[in-house]
Amino acid sequence: MLKIRDFARLGEVSMVTLRHYDEIGLLKPDYVDPDTGYRFYTIDQLSQLHRILALKDLGLGLAQIIKITNEGLSPQALQGMLRLRQAELQQRVQTEQEQIARIEARLQDLEQGCHMPTYEIILKTARPITAVSRRISPVEITHKWDYANALLALMKQYGIKPIDHLLLLYEEFEDENRESELQIAIPVERSKAIALVEKSDGYVELCELPAVPIMASILHHGSPYTTFKTLQVLGTWIETNKYTITGDLRRGISLQRTGELDGYITEIQFPVKKSL
Amino acid sequence: MLKIRDFARLGEVSMVTLRHYDEIGLLKPDYVDPDTGYRFYTIDQLSQLHRILALKDLGLGLAQIIKITNEGLSPQALQGMLRLRQAELQQRVQTEQEQIARIEARLQDLEQGCHMPTYEIILKTARPITAVSRRISPVEITHKWDYANALLALMKQYGIKPIDHLLLLYEEFEDENRESELQIAIPVERSKAIALVEKSDGYVELCELPAVPIMASILHHGSPYTTFKTLQVLGTWIETNKYTITGDLRRGISLQRTGELDGYITEIQFPVKKSL
DNA sequence: TTGCTCCTCACGTCACGTGAGGTGGC
DNA sequence: TTGCTCCTCACGTCACGTGAGGTGGC
């Protein structure tokens, strides 16, 4: 019979750990003195402790270890648990390696003096959106804001309210002869969108944006006509962090559109997926 | 001014998260209604939230992010934090990859039917130990227990008590002409050990075992003369888990030495280090 | 008046670590 | 009697999630 200190030393665990294992029913002492509450362990129990520690070394949680050691777990179930744990670990290793790479990129930036980048890129998901939209040809692009306001005015006329921020949708084509297209889109309730489209003689379209699982997002402060540098930063980030732009629509979300152009704030989102 | 729900949606975080950030002082709302307690955020604050999320994506903790964003942190300090975090991550990735490999080995075992191995190997450290020891030549090896008892008897005669379990130390030599040596060692207080050695006419030696950082440990149940299979299991584990046996002494720790030989329990420890 | 939005506690998570305060056996 | 060992709470960790119970504005 070993006192807790000696048993702890043999297993190289703390006494607190042993009390914890007792409390959760993972490893009960062989004998507990009813008067003093002193816990006593046998050498034989060291094998149990070893098994527990070995399973813990695989990264299993104590709840799982209780199932394995104290409840008759079928080999299949054990296999399943191990496979699950393995998959979890592989997932984690991957995200951690990505974090390492991102930190590396940051450190590179830091060495080049741009110590605190004003641009922060994060990944988001995009929910599906129903909107009314208006296509704008490349030559009209400098008037896009007028078109947006016209569309809003039309909506107001029919008593339809936007349910989210105004969107700018960019479509780029592989075909070099075809210029990229721009749409202005305003999210509205689906039924109202349909009604408006029917009344509009064709130049207002129904726009149903699907959900996009990963969007690389950056905030652009300032005039929406001077996004070049911001787009470049976003593009560089996507490349250095090993993402690829997918075929879904690129978006600008006009978050703030009051006063001077300099005060505008636009969130730019590129649909991406992990490369390889 | 955005209500918390809208701001949360823009940043793709939960409202609870925003309240949490407020509480810990990471991101305070621009305005809080003194009557209702309602939190209001501005679009501008979305940049702050983006920065927070970007830093969180690097795996930094909120306390660190507070330092970076809300306290003027020097670029050097920031670099230091990132380097530290990177090192941590690399460490974790390594241990997780080892866990994956160990689980893989387990799964292999399971497929070959040996569903719940009785042998569990874990890694330990060995503390430095002072002991009195007795060398035993290979021809005397079957009498090792008699020597152990003789040594204990001698100690008792001088009123010296062992302070830990009896050890068997094995030394293997590269030189094939030299047979491996065995020592019996009994941990005692250093001063008493010295005294005993002086009185013993030379056949009792002072044995000072250094600390060993990593020992691969397995429990052997049964006669200490039939350890072959156990040693083999331990050896296989060490190899499949990419460890190498180092030059320190291998040990048997006689944990239970009562009654029949079948009831003996011995912990066998091989000093190892990670390969490569 | 009825929903709706938002609020503030309070508790749980996971595997212990760290005291505080108290007790039996030498 | 004095240490020593062990005991049982209780609280903290980390970044929130999940109710419970309550309130202002339409």
Side-chain angles (χ1 to χ4, degrees):
Chain A
M1 287 302 224
L2 298 159
K3 282 196 191 174
I4 194 168
R5 180 179 303 271
D6 299 318
F7 189 64
R9 183 142 47 190
L10 281 181
E12 298 217 310
V13 296
S14 74
M15 299 192 295
V16 176
T17 297
L18 289 177
R19 289 194 199 103
H20 183 57
Y21 290 174
D22 180 8
E23 193 184 336
I24 66 173
L26 175 55
L27 180 61
K28 294 274 180 200
D30 185 65
Y31 172 73
V32 178
D33 187 301
D35 291 335
T36 65
Y38 276 33
R39 294 170 175 83
F40 293 94
Y41 297 85
T42 64
I43 294 279
D44 270 328
Q45 291 189 289
L46 190 58
S47 324
Q48 291 181 51
L49 182 56
H50 264 211
R51 177 148 57 230
I52 290 165
L53 296 177
L55 292 169
K56 213 156 70 81
D57 264 3
L58 304 179
L60 296 172
L62 298 189
Q64 317 221 26
I65 298 177
I66 288 176
K67 279 187 196 153
I68 296 171
T69 60
N70 300 10
E71 304 166 17
L73 199 71
S74 75
Q76 285 86 341
L78 177 57
Q79 259 190 10
M81 280 176 54
L82 291 179
R83 290 236 173 77
L84 190 65
R85 177 65 192 156
Q86 209 179 23
E88 269 177 35
L89 281 169
Q90 274 155 354
Q91 183 60 48
R92 290 182 56 159
V93 164
Q94 201 194 322
T95 61
E96 281 164 0
Q97 276 171 340
E98 288 168 17
Q99 287 182 345
I100 290 173
R102 275 206 293 272
I103 293 177
E104 189 58 41
R106 283 276 181 157
L107 285 169
Q108 299 267 339
D109 278 3
L110 274 174
E111 301 227 331
Q112 285 169 20
C114 77
H115 45 77
M116 204 53 220
T118 12
Y119 303 98
E120 296 288 355
I121 288 97
I122 62 170
L123 299 174
K124 298 188 169 179
T125 62
R127 282 176 289 271
I129 294 172
T130 302
V132 290
S133 73
R134 174 83 160 91
R135 269 176 212 283
I136 295 177
S137 72
V139 294
E140 303 166 308
I141 208 158
T142 52
H143 299 290
K144 66 182 176 193
W145 239 238
D146 301 329
Y147 285 104
N149 288 330
L151 189 50
L152 282 165
L154 183 69
M155 282 169 58
K156 198 167 189 180
Q157 187 182 324
Y158 287 103
I160 300 172
K161 279 184 187 159
I163 56 174
D164 207 342
H165 297 281
L166 185 145
L167 296 173
L168 305 167
L169 304 171
Y170 304 88
E171 193 162 10
E172 296 212 340
F173 299 101
E174 304 266 322
D175 180 356
E176 290 185 8
N177 295 325
R178 195 166 163 195
E179 285 196 73
S180 62
E181 276 193 3
L182 172 67
Q183 284 181 69
I184 299 273
I186 299 172
V188 294
E189 260 178 53
R190 164 186 285 267
S191 56
K192 293 183 180 169
I194 293 170
L196 185 66
V197 168
E198 280 181 3
K199 287 173 194 153
S200 76
D201 294 336
Y203 65 93
V204 175
E205 295 178 25
L206 181 67
C207 172
E208 306 225 51
L209 295 169
V212 180
I214 317 180
M215 286 287 208
S217 155
I218 189 169
L219 288 176
H220 173 72
H221 293 253
S223 165
Y225 295 104
T226 60
T227 55
F228 181 72
K229 200 182 158 199
T230 308
L231 292 174
Q232 205 176 28
V233 170
L234 183 56
T236 307
W237 187 94
I238 290 170
E239 199 170 329
T240 55
N241 288 281
K242 303 237 169 64
Y243 284 87
T244 317
I245 298 173
T246 71
D248 289 300
L249 289 177
R250 301 169 191 195
R251 308 180 181 179
I253 303 169
S254 188
L255 300 175
Q256 187 159 282
R257 217 156 45 88
T258 52
E260 302 180 15
L261 282 177
D262 281 355
Y264 280 34
I265 298 176
T266 313
E267 178 173 348
I268 297 165
Q269 293 184 346
F270 279 19
V272 295
K273 66 169 200 285
K274 197 70 188 160
S275 300
L276 296 184
Chain B
M1 286 303 222
L2 298 159
K3 283 195 191 175
I4 194 168
R5 181 179 303 269
D6 299 317
F7 189 65
R9 183 144 45 191
L10 281 182
E12 298 218 308
V13 296
S14 74
M15 299 192 296
V16 176
T17 297
L18 289 177
R19 290 195 198 103
H20 184 57
Y21 290 174
D22 180 8
E23 193 185 335
I24 65 174
L26 175 54
L27 181 61
K28 294 273 181 201
D30 186 65
Y31 171 72
V32 179
D33 188 301
D35 292 335
T36 64
Y38 276 33
R39 295 170 175 83
F40 293 93
Y41 296 84
T42 65
I43 294 277
D44 270 328
Q45 291 190 288
L46 190 57
S47 324
Q48 291 182 52
L49 182 56
H50 264 212
R51 178 148 57 232
I52 290 166
L53 296 177
L55 292 169
K56 213 157 70 82
D57 265 2
L58 304 179
L60 295 172
L62 299 189
Q64 317 221 24
I65 298 177
I66 289 175
K67 279 187 195 151
I68 295 171
T69 61
N70 300 10
E71 304 166 18
L73 199 70
S74 75
Q76 285 85 342
L78 178 57
Q79 258 191 10
M81 279 176 55
L82 292 179
R83 289 236 173 77
L84 191 65
R85 177 65 192 158
Q86 207 179 25
E88 269 177 36
L89 281 170
Q90 273 155 354
Q91 183 59 47
R92 288 182 58 158
V93 163
Q94 201 193 323
T95 61
E96 281 165 0
Q97 276 171 340
E98 289 168 17
Q99 286 182 345
I100 290 173
R102 275 208 292 275
I103 293 177
E104 189 58 41
R106 283 276 181 158
L107 284 169
Q108 299 267 337
D109 279 4
L110 274 174
E111 301 227 330
Q112 284 168 19
C114 75
H115 45 77
M116 205 50 221
T118 13
Y119 303 99
E120 294 288 355
I121 287 97
I122 61 171
L123 298 174
K124 298 187 169 180
T125 62
R127 281 175 289 271
I129 294 173
T130 302
V132 289
S133 74
R134 173 84 161 88
R135 270 177 209 282
I136 295 175
S137 72
V139 295
E140 302 167 308
I141 208 159
T142 53
H143 298 289
K144 66 183 176 191
W145 240 238
D146 301 330
Y147 285 104
N149 288 331
L151 188 51
L152 283 166
L154 182 69
M155 282 169 56
K156 197 165 188 181
Q157 188 181 324
Y158 287 102
I160 300 172
K161 280 185 187 159
I163 56 175
D164 207 342
H165 297 281
L166 184 144
L167 296 174
L168 305 167
L169 304 171
Y170 304 88
E171 192 160 12
E172 296 211 342
F173 298 101
E174 303 265 322
D175 181 355
E176 289 187 7
N177 295 325
R178 194 164 164 199
E179 286 196 73
S180 61
E181 276 195 4
L182 173 66
Q183 284 181 70
I184 298 273
I186 299 172
V188 294
E189 259 178 54
R190 164 186 285 266
S191 57
K192 293 181 180 169
I194 294 170
L196 185 66
V197 168
E198 280 181 359
K199 287 173 192 152
S200 77
D201 295 338
Y203 66 92
V204 176
E205 294 178 24
L206 181 68
C207 172
E208 304 224 52
L209 295 169
V212 181
I214 317 180
M215 286 287 208
S217 156
I218 189 169
L219 288 176
H220 173 73
H221 292 253
S223 164
Y225 295 104
T226 60
T227 55
F228 180 72
K229 200 180 159 201
T230 307
L231 292 174
Q232 206 176 27
V233 170
L234 183 56
T236 307
W237 187 93
I238 290 170
E239 199 170 330
T240 55
N241 287 282
K242 304 239 168 60
Y243 284 87
T244 318
I245 298 174
T246 71
D248 290 300
L249 289 177
R250 302 169 189 194
R251 307 179 181 181
I253 303 169
S254 187
L255 299 174
Q256 187 159 281
R257 215 156 46 86
T258 52
E260 302 179 17
L261 283 177
D262 280 356
Y264 280 35
I265 297 176
T266 313
E267 178 173 348
I268 297 166
Q269 293 185 347
F270 279 17
V272 295
K273 66 168 200 286
K274 196 71 188 161
S275 301
L276 296 184

